[in-house]
Amino acid sequence: MTLRSGNSDHLHCVTPAAIAQGLSRGMALADARALCPDLATRPADLAREAAALAALCRWAGRYAPMVARDGADGLMADISGVPHLFGGEVALRDDLQSRLEQSGLAANSAVAGTRGAAHALARHGGGIVPDGRLIEGIGHLPIGALRLDYDTVSGLGRMGLSRIGDLVPLPRAPLARRFGQGLVMRLDQALGQYAEPVTAAADAPHFGVRITLPEPIGLQSDVMAALERLLARLCVKLSQHHMGARRVRLELRRVDQGAAQVEIGLARPMNDPARIAALFVKGVEKIEAGFGIDALRLTAPVLESLAPEQISTHHDVQREDELADLLSSLGNRIGFDRVLRLLPAESLIPERSHLVAPAAYSAPEPVPPHTGPLRPITLFPPEAVTGPSGNPPARFRWRRMHFTTLRATGPERITPEWWFDDPAWRNGLRDYWRIETKQGPRLWLFSTPQTAHGSPNWYVQGEFA
Amino acid sequence: MRPEMDPFALRSARVHEAEGRGRRAFALFQAARHPGPLIWILPAHIPEVPMLRGLPQGVGERLHLLRPSTEMDLLWCIEEALQAVPVGLVIAEAQKPLSFLAGRRQQLAAETGRTTGLMLIQTGAGSNAAETRWQCQPLASLQKTSADSTLHCWNTIKNKSGTCKNWTINWNGTSTAFHMVSEARERHEPAQPPR
């Protein structure tokens, strides 16, 4: 397995056969290939690796009540009081190893009296340290096994201390003064003089609530009442975790095992039950209740963090809330990708001088004051004019109307952005003209002087106020 | 405010209509004069979109574009936006003739939300329920000296609570300021003798 960090590939994981060839973790891929030309590599997928470790962590629950992750590649289980169920520590470790081997995992395990000692031993061969003989058990391991940083390990190595056993008889005060409290703490943790309990990671909060009803309901008002109860519970949970929902899904189970589902989107993260309930009304109207609904489940599949805000009766805040409600209800009917907002962008190309972004997923940005030549109020894809005469054209036809030029301002030359390959700008730079016509409309015309053959083509792209 | 003071003030909490080539310019002129969020409802198949750099000052930040795909959704969006309290002005480009029913529903929605609406309609495709109807045309300024004047001819062709009138104004599309262009008049009375 290789992992790309910075701009070079490193070995992330190696097989035992590769270790035999002299490869090691963290080695640059180029060096590894020099050592072993027929090396087969795959890119590492950290997310899937973490998921696999989490699954293994759940599985390891069969050996101990408390299982925690230990670094990115290890698990730590607190097996106090457990081994006699498997027939002793040795039998337990054999059982674990054989099961892992059966599933195709090459793993090392160690049993020791402390967390630090088990960590050290598992990464250097594995084994079992009997109770009360910690120093003998891990004394022969290199100091790097103590979870120390590289500087400390190399500093100790320069002093001739390379084994854990070398550290134990040394006086503590000079060690701490020279290498910091970290070294002494790690040593104490490994030897059991400093407590380090195994704690399982807290479960991620689940944002879903449900209600089961003794009697089936069918009225719209009853469903709304049940929804309000669920929403109140969900919103309390959301606000406790400082989260806001972006989508809320209501699943209903009918007595005849049918199911219905209503899902709404919100224009901004929200945990206010009354305002979310208002958006559900339209969806709940359409539910087919059949013989009645006897269970409801409310989940928030898409979440965003929502910091607590000062409650305010200020006019602006209220208006913002009401506008967000309007955008939510519009988005739920016509789609959130059709509720848009214009954002300024850094480009001189007319089409890219602003972004059209969904209003629910963007904040308004101040428009920089306009400088330079005038810009039209409306913009559309270029439309070719027919029968232009002259440069700029004195007469032309566009959209089946005849126009006579009264005044022309320009040209304003805009060159394409070479770092984007825009098909609309393939025919080179454009000369933009503001053409006032005798007929009234003030149009934004451009010509493409770089076209290969014939006279330049003229196009209309905008209309001025 | 007396109507003579500001001829272009749209009566609030009512729905108005504008037609003609200059209707988008008129809508932006009104947008610049209305505080609060602006909603511009534009059917998805219309190629002309507002260009942010060319809009009057202070309009771009407040503008929200809705692109409904069907005429039904368009009418629903208009009503929903008119019913919302915080919106300053709702501008909608209807493609089909507005029925009297749709127009009346919009008036009721506007009264509920105390919001002003402006429908940009095809010529002659308005509804009878509209409060005022404006005919807007860009005008060419034929004088040689006025190189950058942007004349507009804005006429009321229907007014439920007033008289119809014609105006020619010079508005350059960047701010709320505009200049009335006085009408040229033929002199009927004899000229005063020079003193």
Side-chain angles (χ1 to χ4, degrees):
Chain A
M1 291 287 183
T2 60
L3 182 69
R4 195 166 187 84
S5 70
N7 55 1
S8 64
D9 283 316
H10 289 269
L11 296 190
H12 182 62
C13 244
V14 284
T15 57
I19 294 175
Q21 296 258 351
L23 306 187
S24 63
R25 293 184 64 179
M27 188 183 250
L29 180 60
D31 298 348
R33 279 210 193 287
L35 278 177
C36 179
D38 55 347
L39 185 66
T41 59
R42 301 271 181 285
D45 185 347
L46 293 185
R48 283 176 62 192
E49 223 168 80
L53 189 65
L56 205 59
C57 182
R58 269 200 308 281
W59 172 79
R62 73 193 300 277
Y63 294 107
M66 282 292 196
V67 185
R69 289 207 194 169
D70 186 35
D73 57 351
L75 292 177
M76 183 66 64
D78 185 0
I79 55 164
S80 9
V82 176
H84 71 275
L85 299 174
F86 292 86
E89 285 175 358
V90 180
L92 188 147
R93 181 163 173 267
D94 289 346
D95 182 57
L96 174 72
Q97 287 283 9
S98 65
R99 279 174 192 277
L100 286 176
E101 257 167 46
Q102 273 170 24
S103 59
L105 292 170
N108 266 332
S109 59
V111 180
T114 63
R115 190 174 171 171
H119 175 97
L121 198 56
R123 277 160 183 76
H124 292 86
I128 295 177
V129 181
D131 250 359
R133 302 183 60 192
L134 271 174
I135 299 179
E136 293 88 337
I138 63 166
H140 65 280
L141 298 179
I143 282 175
L146 279 180
R147 293 178 280 174
L148 296 172
D149 54 12
Y150 177 76
D151 285 346
T152 314
V153 174
S154 62
L156 287 164
R158 275 200 297 280
M159 295 177 66
L161 303 167
S162 60
R163 309 259 153 218
I164 296 176
D166 301 341
L167 278 180
V168 177
L170 292 180
R172 295 303 180 85
L175 265 186
R177 199 163 61 231
R178 183 141 185 181
F179 294 105
Q181 282 293 332
L183 168 65
V184 180
M185 189 188 79
R186 287 301 190 198
L187 188 62
D188 282 349
Q189 282 177 344
L191 299 181
Q193 286 150 11
Y194 194 97
E196 190 187 9
V198 176
T199 47
D203 276 340
H206 174 66
F207 295 104
V209 288
R210 62 182 165 192
I211 191 170
T212 331
L213 306 166
E215 290 281 325
I217 56 171
L219 290 179
Q220 201 177 313
S221 55
D222 293 346
V223 176
M224 286 308 288
L227 173 68
E228 268 159 34
R229 284 193 196 180
L230 288 176
L231 263 179
R233 276 163 57 200
L234 182 71
C235 290
V236 166
K237 206 165 183 185
L238 284 170
S239 58
Q240 272 171 358
H241 289 94
H242 296 177
M243 299 292 266
R246 273 320 272 269
R247 295 198 77 82
V248 185
R249 186 187 297 154
L250 174 69
E251 290 157 44
L252 307 112
R253 203 188 64 203
R254 298 207 305 246
V255 278
D256 55 357
Q257 300 302 317
Q261 184 174 320
V262 184
E263 189 164 332
I264 58 147
L266 296 159
R268 63 176 199 182
M270 204 181 280
N271 54 24
D272 181 355
R275 288 164 60 198
I276 298 176
L279 293 171
F280 267 109
V281 173
K282 193 169 266 308
V284 168
E285 271 174 23
K286 288 188 188 141
I287 292 173
E288 191 62 53
F291 292 108
I293 291 159
D294 67 347
L296 294 94
R297 196 175 126 79
L298 189 71
T299 49
V302 183
L303 297 162
E304 256 174 46
S305 65
L306 175 69
E309 264 177 23
Q310 173 104 40
I311 294 172
S312 161
T313 52
H314 193 259
H315 193 59
D316 283 353
V317 177
Q318 252 183 10
R319 242 172 47 168
E320 238 170 63
D321 284 351
E322 282 170 355
L323 187 66
D325 286 351
L326 171 67
L327 295 182
S328 297
S329 67
L330 289 169
N332 279 315
R333 162 103 187 214
I334 63 171
F336 278 95
D337 54 335
R338 292 176 180 277
V339 183
L340 305 164
R341 177 178 278 153
L342 299 176
L343 300 177
E346 289 283 329
S347 175
L348 291 172
I349 304 287
E351 295 93 327
R352 280 200 289 274
S353 65
H354 63 251
L355 292 173
V356 181
Y361 298 97
S362 59
E365 282 176 38
V367 182
H370 182 71
T371 53
L374 275 178
R375 285 283 178 261
I377 55 168
T378 57
L379 191 73
F380 40 86
E383 294 172 14
V385 305
T386 46
S389 61
N391 186 13
R395 271 178 301 280
F396 56 94
R397 290 188 67 201
W398 172 62
R399 289 189 181 174
R400 287 192 262 166
M401 283 175 284
H402 286 275
F403 291 101
T404 316
T405 304
L406 183 70
R407 218 169 271 120
T409 321
E412 182 196 355
R413 178 158 287 190
I414 299 181
T415 53
E417 293 173 335
W418 51 262
W419 53 95
F420 286 122
D421 184 24
D422 188 348
W425 283 74
R426 288 254 169 87
N427 41 18
L429 47 83
R430 296 179 178 180
D431 283 344
Y432 278 90
W433 291 80
R434 178 175 185 265
I435 305 273
E436 286 181 42
T437 60
K438 260 196 191 121
Q439 285 75 13
R442 292 168 274 268
L443 302 172
W444 208 31
L445 266 71
F446 71 84
S447 67
T448 50
Q450 281 183 335
T451 38
H453 43 81
S455 56
N457 300 319
W458 286 88
Y459 300 89
V460 187
Q461 207 188 358
E463 210 169 336
F464 289 89
Chain B
M1 189 186 289
R2 282 157 58 207
E4 301 89 75
M5 295 291 288
D6 185 4
F8 302 115
L10 298 179
R11 210 172 139 205
S12 68
R14 302 292 291 170
V15 176
H16 308 260
E17 287 177 356
E19 61 176 40
R21 284 201 69 99
R23 58 187 191 273
R24 291 198 181 92
F26 181 73
L28 284 175
F29 173 75
Q30 291 295 349
R33 288 158 58 106
H34 281 78
L38 304 165
I39 307 262
W40 192 307
I41 306 169
L42 197 65
H45 61 271
I46 297 223
E48 287 104 338
V49 290
M51 185 174 177
L52 186 65
R53 307 262 165 186
L55 298 184
Q57 279 166 15
V59 169
E61 301 96 348
R62 300 184 284 133
L63 189 67
H64 297 85
L65 272 185
L66 306 183
R67 308 290 310 257
S69 52
T70 63
E71 194 75 10
M72 202 66 180
D73 276 352
L74 177 93
L75 292 177
W76 181 85
C77 285
I78 296 172
E79 271 187 46
E80 193 74 2
L82 283 171
Q83 274 170 7
V85 178
V87 178
L89 179 68
V90 178
I91 301 163
E93 303 199 8
Q95 291 301 295
K96 291 187 182 150
L98 289 172
S99 65
F100 180 72
L101 180 73
R104 187 73 201 125
R105 282 186 68 119
Q106 284 163 13
Q107 293 292 7
L108 290 174
E111 278 165 29
T112 318
R114 313 295 305 155
T115 310
T116 315
L118 181 63
M119 305 293 122
L120 307 185
I121 54 167
Q122 306 290 329
T123 304
S127 94
N128 271 335
E131 175 73 23
T132 56
R133 186 172 303 139
W134 297 76
Q135 193 182 44
C136 312
Q137 294 293 344
L139 273 191
S141 56
L142 295 167
Q143 294 155 350
K144 293 241 178 242
T145 49
S146 53
D148 60 343
S149 71
T150 44
L151 296 185
H152 301 265
C153 176
W154 291 341
N155 307 332
T156 40
I157 54 173
K158 173 190 173 156
N159 194 348
K160 278 195 170 177
S161 52
T163 52
C164 294
K165 245 184 126 178
N166 300 348
W167 289 274
T168 303
I169 69 155
N170 185 2
W171 178 61
N172 63 2
T174 54
S175 62
T176 57
F178 63 96
H179 297 286
M180 288 282 193
V181 178
S182 50
E183 274 176 66
R185 191 177 76 111
E186 265 184 50
R187 192 168 58 198
H188 305 300
E189 65 274 14
Q192 292 286 321
R195 297 188 180 182

